[in-house]
Amino acid sequence: MDKNNEIEAQEIQPSSGAVENILPTTNEEEMKKLMKDLDREQAYREHKCWRQYITVIVSIVFVLFQLYATLSGHVTAQVLRASHLAFVQMLAFFLFPASKKMPKNTLPWYDVLLGLIGAACWVYIVVNFQMYAHGATNTLVNRTGNNNMLDVIIGIVGILILFESCRRIVGLPIMIIAGAFVIYAFLGKYLPGFLHHRGYSVQRVVCHLFYNTEGIMGTPIGACSTFIFLFILFGALLEKTGIGQFFIDLCNAIAGGASGGPAKVAVLSSALLGTVSGSSVSNTVGSGSFTIPMMKKLGYKGEFAGAVEAAASTGGQLMPPIMGAAAFLMAESLGVSYVTIIKAAIIPAILYFTGIFITVHLEAKKLGLKGLPKDQLPKFLPLFLRKGYMILPLIVIIYFLCSGKTAVFSALMGILSCILIGVGVSCVDLAKGRRPTFTGKDLVEVMCAAARNIISVAIACGMAGIIIGIVTLTGIGLKLGAGLVALAHGKLFLTLLLTMIASIILGMGAPTTANYLITSTITAGAIITCLYGPGADVENIMKLPAHMFAFYFGIIADVTPPVALAAIAGAAIAKAKPMKTAVNATKLAIGAFIIPYMFVYNPQMLMINASAVTVIYIALTAIIGMFGISVALEGYGFGNTGMFYGRNMNKAVIVTFDVIERIIFAIGGILCVIPESRTDFIGLIIMVAACAFQIIRKKITK
């Protein structure tokens, strides 16, 4: 192993039967700085003195208002959405500086002013709706379609401030796209061909975007202000219980002693953390600070160790039930139940993680890597009995969702169960004379974390509302879909290929929610148009493969060069080369480049009109196919490929046979992955023959 790539780490001590944090405590600050550098959502101010209390008070009021609105049902949709955006805009400028280089312990007067003005623009809507509810006549509702100059000015200011908060927190990609759509609304009358439209006035565009529920206050913000907020609050409560460390310890107990144990722990723990995490970068840094040094200590190269964590952590956004909050937006956008979305996501997510798991296993076998010593690993049963209560809230949520309850009710039950468990554990602590695990201070920190975490989601939803608003105003959505299909000459595969490229580009550097909203709005329509024809009346459920396809490739941008934020985070922890790490991560995440094509061609993989037997058959053949593709990429299956011919053969001959064997496994794997019985049969024959050949060769050459 290259000594230059080694990271300073403490020895793993078997102190209490659990794997301790192998990084020095000083590295916690390095990890925190890394997250702030790579993840815009983490680059928030940490106020001291009196400034701290401003954001804390606003955050608490925000959370309490949201809970009141949910539990009482007395807040109308427009008032709730406008109030939600008012709180978000205020906190956005209070918490996030104009530049990453600016101090994080100050609160400039101009940010206070921008936050208050941004909030006031949305409060203007709230006040007018309250006046209308009490019988006033000169309100926004009465002026719909004939808004006055004050309405237009407030709308312009509110939109501009939303753009600035997007620049600070979410990033430039979605801001540039939304800006281009707004410009198109004004200049489309001068454009030729399918881009031409009759043109719209400033008043029409601004009022449509700012006051209409087809604009900023549209479906995405509607979802964000209701159940997405509740699930983010739920996630903040879970994180406070230390569930992340529990997942890592649990995975160490399961897989830490296997060949290449730490890499398998990284895959499993990232899959579990993905159920509550909303960021690929945060996932990579959070679990990677434990797993990457362990992988390197075992013998993995730095680039491979960072890539494993990056690929697995990125896959966390594809793992139900949360999927980085995209599951809720997908359900709202398509008008299908939330349970339908998580059912559809299960098989693709399992295949994705299985592909990574197989590859790290083959790499470990090829390098002859062992697992961690058994005496340095936690015991599964004692660990589960001691801390297994941490997963009860997740079980509660999944139970209620599967029982047909709404996402809002399920989230509330999950939140309640978190609080009850926290109180119960604290009572036990007090009875045993220990410091309580969960205190009032912890609850305040949870509310502040939830309020902070919703900001990027809400702003992304608001910007997506601008894009959707222009699409509904001008009809450009169908035109873009038709244009992309025309470019592909109506061929489904070419349409998918172009959509894949567009989704990866659009998804680079964007948070999960923004990612889905951008890719689904701009690219999913092309697939739907190619599958069913322009303007076809299709069941909402049949649009799901197109939305999932765009979402998958938007998410995989986090490990795809040149941006590859998750891979860069993994490389920074591993002290490895970023682009080499990104290339390795892309190779590990190969399943994400194949699986979406599978479920577009065969929606039964998403459990759409499929029996249990069909789904199991598709999954099993796909797993076999993933094994074949992994062998082709790794050059190792039941032994090294191309090595049967002995030492007397020259290097060129050995390389040739190696390439041929890899190609055979790749062909067999791809045929198994293609969702057709005929290709499955041929692929299985090739795979059985290739594997048998490797097993026989291994016995002969012993």
Side-chain angles (χ1 to χ4, degrees):
M1 187 174 63
D2 186 359
K3 291 183 179 179
N4 293 327
N5 284 338
E6 290 186 6
I7 190 171
E8 292 298 324
Q10 294 177 347
E11 293 296 327
I12 304 174
Q13 300 296 335
S15 56
S16 59
V19 176
E20 301 292 330
N21 186 346
I22 64 174
L23 289 172
T25 54
T26 53
N27 278 357
E28 291 179 12
E29 289 301 317
E30 292 179 21
M31 297 302 108
K32 198 172 182 180
K33 183 179 182 299
L34 180 61
M35 279 203 288
K36 287 184 180 292
D37 288 342
L38 294 177
D39 192 347
R40 288 177 177 270
E41 299 172 51
Q42 300 299 321
Y44 54 86
R45 292 185 176 111
E46 296 186 77
H47 298 303
K48 305 297 180 184
C49 304
W50 59 271
R51 301 181 193 90
Q52 173 182 347
Y53 298 106
I54 295 175
T55 54
V56 168
I57 291 169
V58 174
S59 298
I60 292 172
V61 173
F62 184 19
V63 172
L64 293 177
F65 167 76
Q66 288 285 156
L67 291 173
Y68 166 76
T70 302
L71 294 170
S72 70
H74 292 157
V75 183
T76 61
Q78 291 91 338
V79 170
L80 175 58
R81 295 176 189 187
S83 301
H84 184 80
L85 284 163
F87 279 111
V88 164
Q89 289 286 248
M90 191 185 302
L91 286 171
F93 289 97
F94 285 4
L95 284 170
F96 292 87
S99 167
K100 286 184 179 180
K101 296 179 181 178
M102 296 182 70
K104 300 292 191 299
N105 59 351
T106 61
L107 183 56
W109 65 268
Y110 52 83
D111 275 351
V112 175
L113 186 62
L114 282 172
L116 293 175
I117 292 173
C121 292
W122 296 104
V123 170
Y124 179 72
I125 295 176
V126 174
V127 171
N128 271 272
F129 266 96
Q130 295 289 12
M131 289 168 61
Y132 174 77
H134 289 87
T137 55
N138 187 27
T139 63
L140 280 170
V141 180
N142 303 113
R143 294 195 300 271
T144 301
N146 190 30
N147 295 84
N148 59 36
M149 185 55 67
L150 179 62
D151 296 341
V152 176
I153 291 172
I154 288 175
I156 291 172
V157 172
I159 291 170
L160 289 175
I161 289 179
L162 180 63
F163 267 84
E164 168 57 15
S165 58
C166 178
R167 183 194 68 80
R168 293 185 181 201
I169 303 165
V170 182
L172 291 176
I174 191 170
M175 190 189 86
I176 293 170
I177 293 167
F181 271 77
V182 173
I183 293 170
Y184 171 72
F186 294 126
L187 303 182
K189 60 184 177 181
Y190 303 111
L191 297 176
F194 73 90
L195 292 175
H196 179 79
H197 63 74
R198 61 188 180 88
Y200 300 92
S201 66
V202 172
Q203 179 182 353
R204 178 73 187 280
V205 172
V206 169
C207 294
H208 180 78
L209 294 179
F210 197 74
Y211 300 108
N212 199 320
T213 52
E214 291 182 357
I216 295 171
M217 291 197 297
T219 299
I221 279 292
C224 184
S225 61
T226 50
F227 42 81
I228 290 180
F229 182 88
L230 293 176
F231 273 90
I232 283 179
L233 177 59
F234 170 72
L237 278 165
L238 273 184
E239 285 182 16
K240 198 64 182 176
T241 65
I243 195 169
Q245 184 59 50
F246 170 66
F247 280 156
I248 291 172
D249 288 344
L250 195 66
C251 294
N252 265 303
I254 295 170
S259 298
K264 293 174 180 176
V265 169
V267 177
L268 293 175
S269 61
S270 294
L272 290 173
L273 284 169
T275 61
V276 293
S277 171
S279 167
S280 301
V281 174
S282 295
N283 229 4
T284 302
V285 175
S287 56
S289 59
F290 296 89
T291 59
I292 291 173
M294 283 198 290
M295 281 188 264
K296 292 189 66 181
K297 189 179 180 68
L298 194 68
Y300 284 107
K301 291 181 180 178
E303 287 81 7
F304 189 83
V308 169
E309 185 57 57
S313 293
T314 298
Q317 310 309 293
L318 309 172
M319 174 63 72
I322 309 298
M323 296 168 64
F328 312 112
L329 292 171
M330 208 177 292
E332 285 291 295
S333 299
L334 291 171
V336 299
S337 71
Y338 172 70
V339 175
T340 300
I341 301 297
I342 60 174
K343 279 171 57 181
I346 288 172
I347 299 300
I350 290 172
L351 291 178
Y352 176 83
F353 281 103
T354 300
I356 299 176
F357 196 90
I358 290 170
T359 304
V360 298
H361 175 75
L362 295 179
E363 178 78 2
K365 287 293 186 182
K366 183 168 72 173
L367 298 176
L369 303 180
K370 306 297 182 183
L372 295 170
K374 296 289 185 181
D375 61 348
Q376 294 182 2
L377 294 172
K379 299 292 187 288
F380 178 83
L381 191 57
L383 174 67
F384 197 81
L385 291 174
R386 190 171 71 253
K387 292 188 176 181
Y389 64 86
M390 289 183 179
I391 64 171
L392 286 175
L394 277 173
I395 294 172
V396 167
I397 275 193
I398 294 169
Y399 169 76
F400 281 114
L401 285 171
C402 294
S403 299
K405 301 295 183 182
T406 64
V408 169
F409 181 84
S410 302
L412 286 172
M413 290 299 101
I415 291 168
L416 181 61
S417 64
C418 277
I419 294 172
L420 290 175
I421 289 170
V423 171
V425 172
S426 295
C427 290
V428 172
D429 290 336
L430 287 171
K432 293 185 177 182
R434 297 193 299 251
R435 181 184 176 277
T437 304
F438 191 77
T439 64
K441 182 184 176 183
D442 293 321
L443 188 58
V444 169
E445 289 177 0
V446 164
M447 288 194 278
C448 290
R452 186 174 62 242
N453 293 343
I454 197 67
I455 294 172
S456 62
V457 179
I459 290 172
C461 288
M463 297 302 287
I466 291 176
I467 298 170
I468 294 167
I470 299 301
V471 167
T472 58
L473 187 66
T474 63
I476 185 62
L478 288 175
K479 294 175 183 178
L480 283 174
L484 198 58
V485 172
L487 187 63
H489 302 289
K491 304 295 184 183
L492 179 57
F493 182 77
L494 282 178
T495 302
L496 293 175
L497 191 64
L498 292 173
T499 304
M500 176 189 78
I501 295 167
S503 296
I504 290 174
I505 293 170
L506 291 170
M508 287 180 175
T512 304
T513 44
N515 209 315
Y516 167 68
L517 291 167
I518 297 170
T519 54
S520 64
T521 302
I522 296 175
T523 62
I527 302 173
I528 295 169
T529 300
C530 189
L531 285 171
Y532 308 112
D537 185 17
V538 187
E539 285 184 62
N540 288 338
I541 188 68
M542 300 310 294
K543 298 177 183 177
L544 180 55
H547 280 249
M548 287 285 285
F549 185 94
F551 175 59
Y552 255 68
F553 284 111
I555 291 299
I556 211 63
D558 279 346
V559 293
T560 307
V563 178
L565 289 182
I568 291 172
I573 299 171
K575 301 292 189 289
K577 294 177 181 178
M579 283 303 104
K580 193 171 180 181
T581 303
V583 170
N584 273 299
T586 303
K587 183 178 77 170
L588 284 162
I590 189 68
F593 291 89
I594 298 171
I595 295 163
Y597 287 88
M598 293 172 61
F599 58 61
V600 169
Y601 279 101
N602 190 347
Q604 289 182 316
M605 178 177 280
L606 302 181
M607 299 192 192
I608 298 173
N609 301 326
S611 65
V613 173
T614 302
V615 171
I616 292 169
Y617 169 76
I618 292 172
L620 286 176
T621 54
I623 289 171
I624 294 170
M626 293 303 298
F627 174 77
I629 293 167
S630 296
V631 172
L633 291 171
E634 279 295 308
Y636 188 93
F638 295 95
N640 287 310
T641 53
M643 295 303 291
F644 174 68
Y645 300 94
R647 296 177 183 176
N648 295 328
M649 292 289 183
N650 64 50
K651 187 176 179 181
V653 174
I654 292 175
V655 169
T656 300
F657 283 121
D658 176 57
V659 170
I660 291 171
E661 195 169 342
R662 287 183 188 231
I663 290 172
I664 290 170
F665 270 102
I667 291 171
I670 291 170
L671 288 172
C672 286
V673 163
I674 294 172
E676 290 183 12
S677 299
R678 182 173 54 184
T679 56
D680 288 342
F681 180 72
I682 298 171
L684 286 170
I685 291 175
I686 293 173
M687 287 294 297
V688 168
C691 290
F693 176 74
Q694 281 203 339
I695 292 169
I696 293 168
R697 178 181 64 195
K698 188 175 181 180
K699 288 183 177 180
I700 292 173
T701 54
K702 274 186 177 179

